[in-house]
């Protein structure tokens, strides 16, 4: 697939409940209100949370007459045939068509992935210019990235997901000589200083140094986003200036 055109942002993590879909949706809405053309792709055929966000937002606009910006959205189902090879071929083709339809007509393409390894997950990661991995502020969630030394907090064993990212980065480098900008986003950040918060920060810094990625603060608490989910989060402005 061509590397020209839209900047591809993939939101991925093999830990469920880390806030991937919420992060992806609010990022897309923020980019829209910043004046960019945006498309979104949901490759999580089981949960389809990003797709439900998009549908709820459009339904709210239709029911209330509100005029809100919406990304061009695609949902890509997994193939369920008997042949793994044929399934992967079919998924590659539908993924290629979706990307090809928008890559030269939008500025950003935001792709949400499931909390487990799939062929579509790997395809999405291989296309990423920027990879955003939301991580809850918890040592349990950090374990999905690497097993760490309990005393120093330094990574001592790479996780399956981190190896997936490393393979995607290597493949990307082989294709066009570019690398994937990997950003770890701390979600559900406690407002109170604690020993756990300090340990989480130290551990993430060690992982970021080991894997060559960056750390950013994400969403402190998602209660309001959950409560406004049926409306497509139309009133949430703090996470996206008009989301």
């Amino acid at each position: 697939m061509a590397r020209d055109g839209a900047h591809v942002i993939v939101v991925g993590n093999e830990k469920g409940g880390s806030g991937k879909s919420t992060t992806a949706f609010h990022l897309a809405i923020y980019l829209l209100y910043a004046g960019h053309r945006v498309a979104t792709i949901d490759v999580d055929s089981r949960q389809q949370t990003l797709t439900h966000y998009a549908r709820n937002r459009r339904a709210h606009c239709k029911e209330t007459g509100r005029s809100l910006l919406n990304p061009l959205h695609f949902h890509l189902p997994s193939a369920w045939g008997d042949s793994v090879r044929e399934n992967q071929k079919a998924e590659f083709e539908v993924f290629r068509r979706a990307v090809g339809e928008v890559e030269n007509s939008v500025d950003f393409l935001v792709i949400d992935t499931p909390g487990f390894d799939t062929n579509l997950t790997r395809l999405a990661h291989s296309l990423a210019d920027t990879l955003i991995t939301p991580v809850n502020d918890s040592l349990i969630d950090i374990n999905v990235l690497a097993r760490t030394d309990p005393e120093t907090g330094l990574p001592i064993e790479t996780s399956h997901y981190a190896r997936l990212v490393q393979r995607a980065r290597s493949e990307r480098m082989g294709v066009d000589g570019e690398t994937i900008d990997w950003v770890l986003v701390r979600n559900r950040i406690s407002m109170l200083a604690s020993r756990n918060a300090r340990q989480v920060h130290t551990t993430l810094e060690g992982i970021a140094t080991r894997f060559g990625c960056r750390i950013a603060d994400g969403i402190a608490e998602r209660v309001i986003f959950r409560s406004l989910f049926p409306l497509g989060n139309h009133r949430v402005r703090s996470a996206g200036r008009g989301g």
Side-chain angles (χ1 to χ4, degrees), residues 161-172:
Y161 180 71
R163 290 195 296 272
L164 182 154
V165 175
Q166 288 173 336
R167 286 195 299 271
R169 281 177 142 182
S170 177
E171 291 170 0
R172 173 69 188 276

Side-chain angles (χ1 to χ4, degrees), residues 12-31:
N13 188 343
E14 288 188 358
K15 176 70 172 62
S18 62
K20 292 186 296 294
S21 300
T22 301
T23 300
F25 187 73
H26 285 83
L27 176 60
I29 299 301
Y30 171 82
L31 290 170

Side-chain angles (χ1 to χ4, degrees), residues 193-239:
S194 67
R195 180 178 182 277
N196 177 74
R198 292 191 297 271
Q199 190 173 1
V200 166
H201 182 72
T202 299
T203 301
L204 278 177
E205 284 187 330
I207 289 175
T209 299
R210 169 76 174 271
F211 296 150
C213 49
R214 300 186 287 127
I215 302 175
D217 289 343
I219 300 169
E221 183 47 65
R222 302 202 300 275
V223 173
I224 190 170
F225 303 141
R226 291 195 294 269
S227 66
L228 291 176
F229 171 73
L231 305 180
N233 285 5
H234 77 283
R235 292 174 184 166
V236 178
R237 303 188 66 86
S238 61

Side-chain angles (χ1 to χ4, degrees), residues 94-116:
V94 72
F95 184 78
R96 184 190 65 80
R97 287 202 303 268
V99 173
E101 186 170 332
V102 300
E103 64 180 345
N104 293 315
S105 60
V106 299
D107 303 308
F108 290 92
L109 172 59
V110 180
I111 305 177
D112 187 29
T113 62
F116 48 91

Side-chain angles (χ1 to χ4, degrees), residues 60-230:
H60 178 77
C61 290
K62 183 177 181 180
E63 291 167 1
T64 64
R66 288 175 177 266
S67 178
L68 300 173
L69 298 180
N70 288 282
L72 178 63
H73 182 72
F74 298 85
H75 167 247
L76 306 186
S78 298
W80 297 100
D82 294 331
S83 169
V84 173
R85 177 175 294 182
E86 290 302 314
N87 288 344
Q88 292 180 345
K89 181 179 179 181
E91 288 172 349
F92 176 82
E93 184 58 27
V94 72
F95 184 78
R96 184 190 65 80
R97 287 202 303 268
V99 173
E101 186 170 332
V102 300
E103 64 180 345
N104 293 315
S105 60
V106 299
D107 303 308
F108 290 92
L109 172 59
V110 180
I111 305 177
D112 187 29
T113 62
F116 48 91
D117 188 8
T118 68
N119 180 49
L120 284 171
T121 294
R122 294 189 294 273
L123 286 173
H125 280 67
S126 69
L127 196 66
D129 295 304
T130 300
L131 171 62
I132 295 177
T133 298
V135 181
N136 289 329
D137 239 27
S138 162
L139 294 173
I140 296 175
D141 283 43
I142 291 175
N143 194 61
V144 78
L145 298 173
R147 187 167 67 88
T148 59
D149 185 292
E151 298 298 327
T152 66
L154 297 176
I156 57 177
E157 183 179 352
T158 304
S159 72
H160 176 272
Y161 180 71
R163 290 195 296 272
L164 182 154
V165 175
Q166 288 173 336
R167 286 195 299 271
R169 281 177 142 182
S170 177
E171 291 170 0
R172 173 69 188 276
M173 183 65 70
V175 169
D176 60 10
E178 299 290 337
T179 190
I180 298 171
D181 181 21
W182 190 8
V183 185
L184 305 181
V185 174
R186 297 173 62 200
N187 272 345
R188 291 182 175 170
I189 302 170
S190 173
M191 295 296 101
L192 300 176
S194 67
R195 180 178 182 277
N196 177 74
R198 292 191 297 271
Q199 190 173 1
V200 166
H201 182 72
T202 299
T203 301
L204 278 177
E205 284 187 330
I207 289 175
T209 299
R210 169 76 174 271
F211 296 150
C213 49
R214 300 186 287 127
I215 302 175
D217 289 343
I219 300 169
E221 183 47 65
R222 302 202 300 275
V223 173
I224 190 170
F225 303 141
R226 291 195 294 269
S227 66
L228 291 176
F229 171 73

